[in-house]
Amino acid sequence: LKEWTKICLIYTLKNDDMIDIKVEDILLSKKITKVIREDFYIFEADSFLPIDFYRALNKSFPEKSLLEAMALSTSKNNQYYNRLVLKFNASNLNKESDDFFIKNQEWGLFISLLTDKRFIYDALDLFGKPISDHKGIKYYLRKNVYSKYVKKNPTIVNKLVNKLVNKVDINFTFSVSGPSEGLFPHTDSNNKLITLLLYFPEKDWKTEYHGETSFFKLKNNVSRNKKNKWGLLGKRNFHISDPKLVSEFRESHDLLYKSKYKPNILAGFVKNDISWHAIDPITCPKNKLRRVFIINIKK
C-alpha cells in the first residue's frame, strides 16, 4: 500500500502535458450505450474515454517484451490459450511495473480514477440489483466499507450507505494474445462482481482476426437438470475445454451477444453462476496481438 500511495501521489502532481480527465468522465452510469438483461447483465460503452486520453493509453500500452520483464505469468490451464497477462493491484507492484507507471503517467492517472470511490460506488449502484440477486440478501444488507466516505460526501449516491459489500477490491490485468489463442467458455471466479474489458486493437486490425468476447445464454428448451448442471459448473468457474463437454455446451446455449473489438470500446458484465463467455481463437498474423486492459471489481 505504501508503494501504491507513492505512485498515486506522483500521478496527481501537476503535469502540463497530462490530459485533463476527471472521474466524472468515466462513470459507467454516464458512458454505457448498450445493456442486455437476460441470463446475466452485459453492457458496452462505444466511446468510453475521451479520445485524446485513449490515444495516450493506446500509444503506451506495454509491449509484449515489456510485459515479460514486468514479471508476467503465462496461463497454464491448457485452454488453447497461452496469453500473457500481468495482474496487479495495490499489493503486488514491483520495480518494473513501478517504473512503467512512473514513466507512463497516463496509465497511473487512469488507475487512480478507476480506484476512486466515486467510480466504484457508481458501478455498484448501477448494477446493485443483479449483484444482490447473485450474492443474496446477506450481501445486500452488509455495511459497505466506504460508508463513512459516502456520509462525508453526500453528493455520492447516498442510498448506497445502507447497501452492498463487506469489502470491495479492484484489480487490473494487461492481457495480450497471439494467433490461434482463445479462451473456452467460463464464468469468472466467484469473488468477482463486475468485469470490464477495455479493448486496444493494434493499428490495421481486421474484423476477420476476431478478438471479440462472446457471451452465451441457456436455450429456452434446456431441461432443469441441464440448467442445474451448468449453474453448478459456472459457480466453480469451470472452463469448458473437453471436446464432448464443449459440444454439450453448444447444444444447451445460444450466442447472446458478441462484443465489438474496436478502439475505445468498453465491454463488461455482472458475474453470476451462468455468466458464460469465451474468446474465439485469434486469427491475426504473427506480428499482431489482441490487447485488452481488464478491470475487475471484486468483493
Side-chain angles (χ1 to χ4, degrees):
L1 287 173
K2 182 179 179 181
E3 287 299 306
W4 184 250
T5 302
K6 179 188 74 175
I7 294 172
C8 283
L9 284 173
I10 291 172
Y11 300 149
T12 57
L13 294 176
K14 181 173 177 58
N15 184 332
D16 292 337
D17 296 327
M18 184 64 70
I19 296 168
D20 184 26
I21 181 173
K22 301 179 179 64
V23 68
E24 290 79 10
D25 297 324
I26 65 168
L27 295 180
L28 294 181
S29 62
K30 295 182 178 181
K31 303 299 294 188
I32 288 175
T33 54
K34 185 181 186 68
V35 176
I36 297 172
R37 304 176 181 90
E38 292 203 30
D39 282 12
F40 57 107
Y41 267 58
I42 303 165
F43 51 91
E44 206 168 57
D46 284 337
S47 299
F48 180 59
L49 296 173
I51 189 61
D52 288 346
F53 189 66
Y54 175 82
R55 287 171 177 162
L57 294 175
N58 186 49
K59 184 177 180 180
S60 58
F61 195 99
E63 299 288 340
K64 185 175 181 180
S65 58
L66 179 59
L67 290 178
E68 292 170 336
M70 291 163 69
L72 266 281
S73 62
T74 301
S75 176
K76 298 178 181 178
N77 47 28
N78 217 13
Q79 296 151 28
Y80 64 77
Y81 208 42
N82 295 313
R83 64 175 177 157
L84 219 47
V85 294
L86 171 62
K87 297 182 180 181
F88 64 95
N89 53 28
S91 64
N92 70 346
L93 292 176
N94 57 23
K95 183 182 183 304
E96 287 77 13
S97 54
D98 191 327
D99 290 345
F100 170 79
F101 290 118
I102 291 173
K103 181 179 178 181
N104 301 284
Q105 293 191 19
E106 61 276 6
W107 277 103
L109 175 58
F110 188 34
I111 291 165
S112 70
L113 295 175
L114 293 168
T115 53
D116 189 298
K117 294 179 177 68
R118 288 168 291 178
F119 178 83
I120 297 171
Y121 261 102
D122 181 74
L124 294 177
D125 181 50
L126 185 62
F127 297 111
K129 186 178 187 307
I131 293 174
S132 59
D133 286 347
H134 173 55
K135 291 297 180 183
I137 191 66
K138 289 182 180 179
Y139 170 86
Y140 187 85
L141 294 176
R142 280 178 191 151
K143 182 180 179 182
N144 197 294
V145 289
Y146 296 132
S147 61
K148 291 182 180 178
Y149 181 88
V150 174
K151 289 177 182 177
K152 291 179 181 178
N153 297 268
T155 60
I156 304 173
V157 200
N158 283 332
K159 61 184 176 181
L160 285 173
V161 173
N162 299 316
K163 207 175 181 183
L164 299 181
V165 317
N166 181 38
K167 181 181 179 182
V168 171
D169 188 20
I170 185 164
N171 65 16
F172 310 95
T173 302
F174 285 111
S175 174
V176 297
S177 314
S180 301
E181 295 171 2
L183 192 58
F184 283 109
H186 63 292
T187 58
D188 276 3
S189 60
N190 205 38
N191 63 346
K192 291 185 182 180
L193 303 176
I194 305 169
T195 295
L196 308 172
L197 309 165
L198 183 57
Y199 297 132
F200 288 89
E202 293 186 319
K203 186 179 179 181
D204 300 325
W205 187 274
K206 297 180 180 179
T207 304
E208 55 263 34
Y209 297 163
H210 300 297
E212 313 91 345
T213 305
S214 296
F215 300 96
F216 302 93
K217 66 174 183 177
L218 284 162
K219 292 184 177 180
N220 293 331
N221 60 353
V222 172
S223 67
R224 181 183 295 272
N225 286 341
K226 288 284 188 182
K227 288 182 180 179
N228 291 339
K229 175 180 179 176
W230 297 119
L232 289 172
L233 289 175
K235 190 168 187 176
R236 293 164 44 200
N237 191 28
F238 186 87
H239 288 243
I240 310 299
S241 57
D242 178 78
K244 183 177 180 181
L245 198 56
V246 169
S247 178
E248 188 178 343
F249 179 86
R250 301 289 181 181
E251 290 175 359
S252 300
H253 291 80
D254 286 324
L255 179 66
L256 174 58
Y257 186 66
K258 185 170 286 191
S259 66
K260 300 187 290 289
Y261 183 68
K262 293 182 178 180
N264 209 9
I265 293 284
L266 179 84
F269 64 95
V270 179
K271 153 74 184 175
N272 68 18
D273 292 345
I274 51 174
S275 53
W276 294 101
H277 58 287
I279 303 169
D280 291 337
I282 309 301
T283 58
C284 65
K286 290 183 179 180
N287 63 338
K288 294 284 186 182
L289 290 169
R290 176 188 188 264
R291 305 186 307 172
V292 185
F293 185 63
I294 306 169
I295 304 119
N296 289 310
I297 300 176
K298 308 165 69 175
K299 78 172 189 66

